Amino acid sequence: MTARLARVRADSYIDSVRLMSATRTMGQRDGVEWAAAVMGTPANVEILSGRGFGDETLRKATANDLVFAVIADDDDEATAALDQGESAVDAASSQAADAAGAATRPLSLEEATEALPGANVAIVSVPGEFAALETQKAITAGMHVLLFSDNVPLEDEIALKRRAAELGLLVMGPGAGTAAIGGVGLGFANAVRRGTVGVVAAAGTGAQEVMSLVDRWGGGITDVIGVGGRDLSAPVGGVMADLALRSVTADTRAEVVVLVSKPPAPEVAEALFGRLGTKPVVAAMIGMEDEGLARPGLRVARTLDEAAADAVELAGSPRPDPGEGLSEAVAPTIDRVPPRRTAVRGLFTGGTLCYEALVVLSSRLGPVYSNTPLREGWGLPAPDGAHICLDMGEEEYTRGRPHPMIDPEARIEEIRRAGADPDTAVVLLDVVLGYGAHPDPAAVLSLPCEEVARRRDGAAVVAYVLGTDSDLQDVRRQRAQLADAGCLVAPTAARAALMAAAISARRPDLAEETP
């Protein structure tokens, strides 16, 4: 008989890193089929209920209650796993308290501002239903806000941004995973040198790709302002993008401005570009045609690497060519992969990188199916043998478990499953480094990648590592680990998609095409 046990610890809010640690500790125990440490939000309680946890105490849990849940072979194994999960949380909390000083750790925004009176930026990361209230408090205190929280109602976002804009304050988000202000990375950001390129982004990993490539190609960054994925929609109207663009343009250090986004509402793009100043602007609006947008001082880039190359060139450095030599690099793999294998299977942690791959691949290979489809009719489930790209950072993959940038183990089974499919020609992966990401993701992913890439008559693995030499994880070390595992390691995310298309279509020249 399978045992399902849950344990609730009231008023014990902890961060996602400690939740991940406890989840992993419980899940690695022999006899445990499934385990999770989560906060008791309604969404998480619903997920646990769907897995058969029906305890009345669990149904009364609140967003500030810590919940441990285990499915194991028997009650004894489940109880032991719960004990280990609690011990892992206690140990991590004790270490954090020792490092920060338990007596001075603030428990509210008010206490935090008293402890650090010069602060002018607040990071809000609470369940979405409570995020607007905390953000309003920060705005009232005269602070810019990085609103990391997801699931914030659209009407709350509009109200927050309009109020903040009237006060000249930024609300970066909601769901703003990336920013770098004054040389300090916030959320998922990368360690980059300071320089003359400013970035405004409605796409988190899109911002990371641009800032990392600018750094890699000899440029530097002033600030990166993430405005949230809905900011350039018609209802929000680009309120924060407008304020951020004006802020970056006014910065005397910035010589070039890059705007990163998925396709915006046309009227919002038209309004923003109608207010451009004298500094050159590169618009990387992935998948949007540049018809009607051209104007003096504006370049429209089709991919993130093209935007970064434009920015580096405009800032005075030589323009890089990331496609050089890739035809020769993919040719041996094309010869090795059996012709019957034609499908590309992308498994992404970065939503913008997934979207860019969908655009690049579909323009070469036809329909690519996804949980975040480009077009109606390209959603899941996909037909047999179809090309598929999954954004594994979406809610259906992160409910009850950490984001795959934090916990790369979330993709291991999907890599093995894709590699075992006889239709798969290429398993396409992104590996995102930087603040907040796993300390050594390539070490976790190398084994399943090697199982796929070294299999006789099997699929190829094409991997792209987003990061810099200054990141904790070290982009060169991560690339080397994946190359040693048999992966083809691409120079940019867009080039990774083109290399995958080249293998699928058995045309090495595609790898060097203009994206």
Side-chain angles (χ1 to χ4, degrees):
M1 293 288 291
T2 299
R4 284 174 168 78
L5 295 183
R7 190 176 293 171
V8 177
R9 186 185 285 190
D11 297 323
S12 300
Y13 185 86
I14 66 170
D15 58 52
S16 60
V17 174
R18 283 179 284 173
L19 290 173
M20 178 184 70
S21 176
T23 296
R24 182 176 295 142
T25 297
M26 294 186 295
Q28 289 176 343
R29 183 179 175 87
D30 289 342
V32 172
E33 177 184 331
W34 182 87
V38 297
M39 301 311 301
T41 63
N44 285 336
V45 171
E46 181 181 349
I47 293 166
L48 294 176
S49 297
R51 285 191 172 267
F53 294 92
D55 184 84
E56 183 63 26
T57 304
L58 176 61
R59 286 196 289 269
K60 292 180 179 179
T62 72
N64 285 318
D65 297 341
L66 175 57
V67 180
F68 302 89
V70 172
I71 302 175
D73 290 344
D74 54 47
D75 285 348
D76 290 342
E77 288 291 349
T79 299
L82 291 173
D83 290 342
Q84 286 188 330
E86 287 203 87
S87 295
V89 166
D90 291 339
S93 298
S94 177
Q95 291 172 0
D98 289 343
T104 59
R105 185 178 180 184
L107 299 176
S108 67
L109 179 68
E110 291 77 10
E111 290 184 14
T113 54
E114 289 175 5
L116 192 63
N120 64 353
V121 177
I123 300 175
V124 175
S125 181
V126 298
E129 57 264 42
F130 308 112
L133 176 60
E134 295 304 316
T135 302
Q136 289 285 16
K137 291 178 182 177
I139 294 171
T140 299
M143 305 180 79
H144 305 286
V145 177
L146 179 77
L147 182 48
F148 195 81
S149 304
D150 287 322
N151 302 312
V152 176
L154 178 62
E155 58 271 22
D156 286 344
E157 176 178 351
I158 294 170
L160 290 168
K161 289 184 170 179
R162 287 179 178 175
R163 181 180 178 227
E166 291 174 357
L167 298 172
L169 297 173
L170 292 167
V171 171
M172 297 172 275
T178 299
I181 308 296
V184 178
L186 306 177
F188 295 111
N190 298 89
V192 296
R193 67 172 63 88
R194 304 301 298 280
T196 59
V197 177
V199 180
V200 175
T205 46
Q208 288 186 262
E209 173 76 330
V210 169
M211 68 192 295
S212 295
L213 291 178
V214 167
D215 177 273
R216 189 184 309 169
W217 291 336
I221 300 295
T222 56
D223 294 308
V224 177
I225 301 176
V227 297
R230 296 186 301 206
D231 194 77
L232 296 177
S233 67
V236 183
V239 174
M240 280 300 125
D242 179 50
L243 181 58
L245 282 170
R246 286 189 279 118
S247 174
V248 172
T249 302
D251 187 342
T252 56
R253 300 167 301 161
E255 298 176 4
V256 182
V257 181
V258 180
L259 175 63
V260 181
S261 174
K262 296 175 184 176
E267 64 272 24
V268 175
E270 183 69 26
L272 284 177
F273 295 148
R275 294 193 289 270
L276 294 181
T278 57
K279 291 181 179 179
V281 174
V282 180
M285 295 185 166
I286 312 305
M288 183 175 182
E289 299 295 332
D290 61 358
E291 298 175 4
L293 295 180
R295 63 197 66 216
L298 174 67
R299 292 191 188 185
V300 179
R302 288 160 294 189
T303 58
L304 297 167
D305 59 3
E306 183 182 354
D310 283 344
V312 167
E313 182 181 37
L314 288 167
S317 295
R319 185 181 184 88
D321 180 9
E324 186 177 2
L326 293 186
S327 292
E328 292 81 2
V330 301
T333 301
I334 292 174
D335 292 339
R336 180 185 67 79
V337 175
R340 69 177 184 278
R341 290 180 173 270
T342 58
V344 175
R345 300 292 160 80
L347 303 172
F348 290 87
T349 64
T352 314
L353 304 188
C354 181
Y355 190 89
E356 182 180 56
L358 290 168
V359 171
V360 171
L361 289 169
S362 63
S363 68
R364 272 81 180 174
L365 303 178
V368 183
Y369 295 81
S370 178
N371 59 326
T372 57
L374 281 181
R375 300 182 187 174
E376 186 177 351
W378 290 9
L380 301 178
D384 291 342
H387 306 294
I388 301 171
C389 286
L390 301 179
D391 177 2
M392 297 190 67
E394 282 291 297
E395 186 176 344
E396 62 263 36
Y397 292 102
T398 58
R399 284 180 177 174
R401 67 185 308 165
H403 193 283
M405 286 186 199
I406 300 172
D407 184 9
E409 291 185 7
R411 284 195 289 180
I412 289 177
E413 287 308 311
E414 291 292 341
I415 291 171
R416 288 175 172 146
R417 184 178 294 113
D421 188 329
D423 292 323
T424 302
V426 186
V427 179
L428 176 61
L429 303 173
D430 65 342
V431 180
V432 180
L433 313 181
Y435 303 113
H438 189 276
D440 194 4
V444 178
L445 297 172
S446 290
L447 179 58
C449 287
E450 186 167 15
E451 291 174 5
V452 173
R454 304 292 192 199
R455 185 179 298 148
R456 184 181 178 185
D457 293 335
V461 180
V462 174
Y464 170 60
V465 183
L466 188 166
T468 71
D469 295 341
S470 299
D471 283 327
L472 168 70
Q473 303 90 344
D474 187 348
V475 68
R476 288 175 294 183
R477 181 168 61 88
Q478 299 295 311
R479 287 169 58 91
Q481 288 183 80
L482 292 169
D484 289 344
C487 299
L488 282 172
V489 181
T492 72
R495 288 294 162 182
L498 284 172
M499 291 169 74
I503 296 167
S504 171
R506 308 190 69 78
R507 283 185 50 197
D509 60 293
L510 287 181
E512 294 191 21
E513 276 194 354
T514 301

